[in-house]
Amino acid sequence: MILGGRENWLRAKGGKNESKVSFVELFFDLVFVFSISQLAHTLAEHFTVLGVLEAIMLIFAVWWVWVCTAWVTNWLDPDRMPVRIMLFTLMFAGLILSAAIPEAFGEKAIFFAGAYVFMQVGRSLFTVYALRHASRSNYRNFLRISSWFIFSGIFWIAGALVEGETRLILWLLALIIEYSAPALGFRVPGLGQSTTADWDVSGAHLAERCALFIIICLGEAVLQAGKVFAEQPVTPLIVAVFITAFVGTVALWWIYFQFGHERAAHRIEHDETPGSMARLAFTYAHIAILAGIMLSVVGDEFLFAHPRDPADMHAAAAILGGPVVFLLGNLWFKGVTTGRPPLSHTVGLAGLVLLLLTLPMVMVYQLGILATAVLIVVAIWEFASLSRVVPSARSTSDH
């Protein structure tokens, strides 16, 4: 399609491929399998207060670069060659970023920060160029977005050039700038402010993109459990731990995918301001869902490494923390898209907190079994409450 004598790289609105996730987008997502693996491994090796804080910051960064790309491909057509080349370039930078994760707060800080800033600023400037003759409002939106990423990029690069607490503070400031920008409408002097009405997104496309990313995270959890199991001597206890880890991951999948994904896509597609809901449900709420899965992977490593140890707060932080953060993310996600947070999730959170009362009377593997049992109850409760409700017909909370 030619617009004003120039090729238009946007998705065709109203066409059959408007909401379709392309193969090149799926290919792009595969880079983040490496990111997720690196994040989980790094968090497991440095499961201290400082290690958790650093891991959280890296999770926020990885998620942000991914979700911002997902928003861009909501408008730009990945089947257009320039857009495809842009995604391949981001993939290469993403590999550098992922490889630097274990030493992001150490010797490879400049590689992590440099790759991150390149991806965020480069993608945004490319989108500005792509939209300059196609969509005036979104062209101005991405001028504002580019300005914010350039501003935060100063803190990323400056942080990479210093060490210790200074780096931590500068990178934390960079994340605060980036995560507050959408809520502030990307306000820039001389360019004005974006409004949620400007974000004419495809809810079905964004929902599927996020769902596929969650699949990647859950897949990494399964693969990690299988890898550790393959390296262990086969005993009844290790088999029980492996089954616990697998069933727990299946429960996480069930809780997210059985009802949340389809209802969210339908609600956003029919909302008057889809951009506002998509921002809350996908851009923000999914951070907790992702973090919960990553923490669950760490919890599984605790199960395999110390199954017979008395369960203490350190082990419980991983074994119970993962499901807690995951359910909190789903509460937020489903609450935004249905209007009523599911009661089953609230009760599940209460049950997980009550398991702290069992410390240190239970062993690590027993705590893992109990946490998985709570997730199974939540999944069954929600399924029983909503299985007769057609997701696209009406919005209902389980009770």
Side-chain angles (χ1 to χ4, degrees), residues 233-252:
V234 179
T235 65
L237 180 57
I238 292 300
V239 171
V241 167
F242 177 62
I243 293 172
T244 299
F246 177 76
V247 173
T249 304
V250 171
L252 296 179

Side-chain angles (χ1 to χ4, degrees), residues 363-396:
M363 297 182 192
V364 167
Y365 83 91
Q366 292 171 329
L367 185 64
I369 291 173
L370 291 172
T372 298
V374 171
L375 291 174
I376 292 171
V377 169
V378 172
I380 293 174
W381 184 339
E382 185 177 38
F383 179 76
S385 299
L386 298 178
S387 58
R388 293 188 179 90
V389 178
V390 179
S392 62
R394 53 182 176 152
S395 177
T396 304

Side-chain angles (χ1 to χ4, degrees), residues 274-296:
S276 177
M277 181 170 291
R279 185 181 69 194
L280 290 173
F282 294 111
T283 303
Y284 291 136
H286 272 65
I287 303 167
I289 296 173
L290 168 63
I293 296 172
M294 291 296 95
L295 198 51
S296 294

Side-chain angles (χ1 to χ4, degrees), residues 254-271:
W254 195 280
I255 290 169
Y256 178 85
F257 282 97
Q258 181 61 34
F259 295 105
H261 167 255
E262 288 187 9
R263 289 192 297 168
H266 174 79
R267 178 70 184 274
I268 292 174
E269 282 291 309
H270 295 82
D271 195 80

